[in-house]
Amino acid sequence: MRVLGIETSCDETAASVVADGQLVLSNVVSSQVALHRQYGGVVPELASRAHLDAVIPIVDLALERAGLGLRDIDVVAVTRGPGLIGALMVGVQVGKGLAIALDRPLVGVNHIAAHLYAAQLTEAPAAASPTPDALPVAYPHIALAVSGGHTALYRVDSPLAFRELGSTLDDAAGEAFDKVALMLGLGYPGGRVIDDLARGGRTDAVALPRAWLGKRKFDFSFSGLKTAVRTHVKAHGVPEGDALRDLLASFQEAVADVLVEKAMLAAKEQRLHRIVVAGGVGANSRLRALLTQRCVERRVEAVLTPLRYCTDNAAMVAGLGYHLAQAGDVVSPFTLDPDAGLSRSGAPA
Ligand code: KG4
Ligand code: ZN
């Protein structure tokens, strides 16, 4: 079954064709980062307009790279939320139009569930399971979804059944990276820049707080950490050279330490031995290294979603769309609406 996925929830216009929920035949992502950079964050109205311009050419390119025509598509899958309403609207309308014109089933995909699924994707035919329902990353497992818009821990029982164990009380982890980068004049978005600049810095150079949150042990808070960086900068000025590297390495360590420890604790409490990391911040090299190291120490399997499927993409939407279609979770192209606040909690697992 070939599923065309469309993703326009934030600032990436993306389309992809995935066979049987796993084999990625094409994965096209057009980023609007350059457009939003001058504003230091995503401007919703500009995002919607840029999606309008890009979405049809991106869908065409995804089909061309897959070597397919529109009629070869069996199912249309589109992100319906959570995200920016105007941005979601663009993808949803295109998905509806294609489903009606081609007379194909339409499925509406939860963006977070798609992130949680992304580790199942592959481009190598040999790596795809012979039976689509025997997936390479076994269930149940713990998933840590960390991006610019969300930071949460989940117990995941299947592609469609997951339960939120905790989430951020304030900033998402990616937001903390982006705000600290802006504070230090490093531009937007800041995650990748901080990751690169922190290399070689001393992770214990600046004492920064970790919010363990007592009883709310699976929730997160990054606003105190952000304030601590601001206070440090006020006292010492904006650092340069080695001092900048040290501050960034210390900040990154504080974020990664909390994310990894809480994921390990969730695995222990749920008696699970596998942790999947996904979402844009899941691309962070220190987070990946620390998770791998602590998982080895505690005999837990660390599953690192490939970098190209960590940040927003439509392959994860098409991949999960396959399972929705198989489950008969098809929606009418005449009534599907985007839902900016679509639950991040998923179906009860
Ligand atoms: O998943 P994503 O592409 O979009 C959302 O759904 O939010 O995540 C984007 C976020 C941004 O905040 C960006 O700064 C962060 O992911 N990010 C990183 C890295 N690459 C992207 N954060 C830390 N380290 C990275 N290497
Ligand atoms: Zn995302």
Side-chain angles (χ1 to χ4, degrees):
M1 182 190 284
R2 289 162 182 155
V3 182
L4 170 68
I6 301 169
E7 155 67 40
T8 64
S9 67
C10 189
D11 61 342
E12 260 94 32
T13 317
S16 163
V17 183
V18 174
D20 295 334
Q22 280 183 71
L23 186 60
V24 180
L25 304 179
S26 66
N27 180 32
V28 184
V29 181
S30 164
S31 173
Q32 303 174 5
V33 155
L35 176 68
H36 301 291
R37 184 165 283 138
Q38 57 184 311
Y39 304 102
V42 178
V43 183
E45 181 58 25
L46 292 181
S48 314
R49 291 175 193 212
H51 284 309
L52 267 180
D53 287 340
V55 68
I56 302 289
I58 293 297
V59 167
D60 283 345
L61 195 55
L63 288 165
E64 189 187 316
R65 290 198 180 156
L68 300 171
L70 270 176
R71 299 248 151 235
D72 300 318
I73 295 303
D74 302 304
V75 173
V76 178
V78 62
T79 301
R80 65 175 291 244
L84 302 170
I85 189 67
L88 289 164
M89 190 85 77
V90 176
V92 165
Q93 296 304 341
V94 170
K96 287 161 89 164
L98 285 172
I100 293 168
L102 299 169
D103 193 22
R104 297 289 192 272
L106 177 66
V107 294
V109 175
N110 179 322
H111 180 83
I112 309 292
H115 271 303
L116 301 186
Y117 183 77
Q120 305 288 10
L121 300 167
T122 178
E123 297 98 60
S129 307
T131 50
D133 296 319
L135 290 164
V137 183
Y139 296 94
H141 56 242
I142 294 294
L144 174 65
V146 270
S147 75
H150 18 262
T151 292
L153 270 169
Y154 295 90
R155 178 197 164 94
V156 188
D157 283 71
S158 78
L160 303 178
F162 55 97
R163 179 162 57 88
E164 189 180 283
L165 302 173
S167 67
T168 183
L169 305 176
D170 40 62
D171 289 349
E175 237 178 313
F177 271 93
D178 294 341
K179 287 177 180 172
V180 164
L182 280 180
M183 216 185 280
L184 297 170
L186 301 175
Y188 170 86
R192 181 73 197 277
V193 182
I194 291 181
D195 195 342
D196 290 343
L197 284 175
R199 257 172 251 271
R202 291 179 299 140
T203 54
D204 58 354
V206 183
L208 293 171
R210 275 110 166 114
W212 298 111
L213 302 179
K215 282 192 179 147
R216 308 195 68 150
K217 57 190 170 194
F218 298 132
D219 286 331
F220 301 92
S221 168
F222 296 105
S223 61
L225 174 60
K226 190 182 62 188
T227 305
V229 174
R230 182 171 289 125
T231 307
H232 180 86
V233 171
K234 269 193 185 153
H236 304 275
V238 175
E240 288 175 12
D242 282 347
L244 177 63
R245 238 185 297 285
D246 285 350
L247 176 60
L248 295 179
S250 302
F251 162 75
Q252 184 172 261
E253 190 72 12
V255 176
D257 187 18
V258 171
L259 291 174
V260 170
E261 264 322 291
K262 291 196 177 224
M264 301 299 309
L265 186 62
K268 190 172 168 202
E269 283 210 357
Q270 295 285 322
R271 295 171 197 269
L272 299 176
H273 301 282
R274 192 170 294 110
I275 298 174
V276 176
V277 63
V281 182
N284 184 264
S285 62
R286 183 58 189 147
L287 173 62
R288 291 166 90 88
L290 200 60
L291 182 68
T292 306
Q293 179 197 323
R294 292 200 186 147
C295 278
V296 168
E297 287 163 12
R298 298 182 215 175
R299 293 167 191 268
V300 173
E301 184 193 352
V303 179
L304 308 174
T305 301
L307 294 185
R308 62 196 165 285
Y309 302 131
C310 272
T311 42
D312 284 352
N313 65 86
M316 64 186 192
V317 176
L320 187 61
Y322 164 84
H323 295 277
L324 287 162
Q326 289 291 84
D329 204 348
V330 170
V331 289
S332 161
F334 295 101
T335 56
L336 177 68
D337 277 328
D339 184 350
L342 187 64
S343 167
R344 293 178 288 112
S345 314

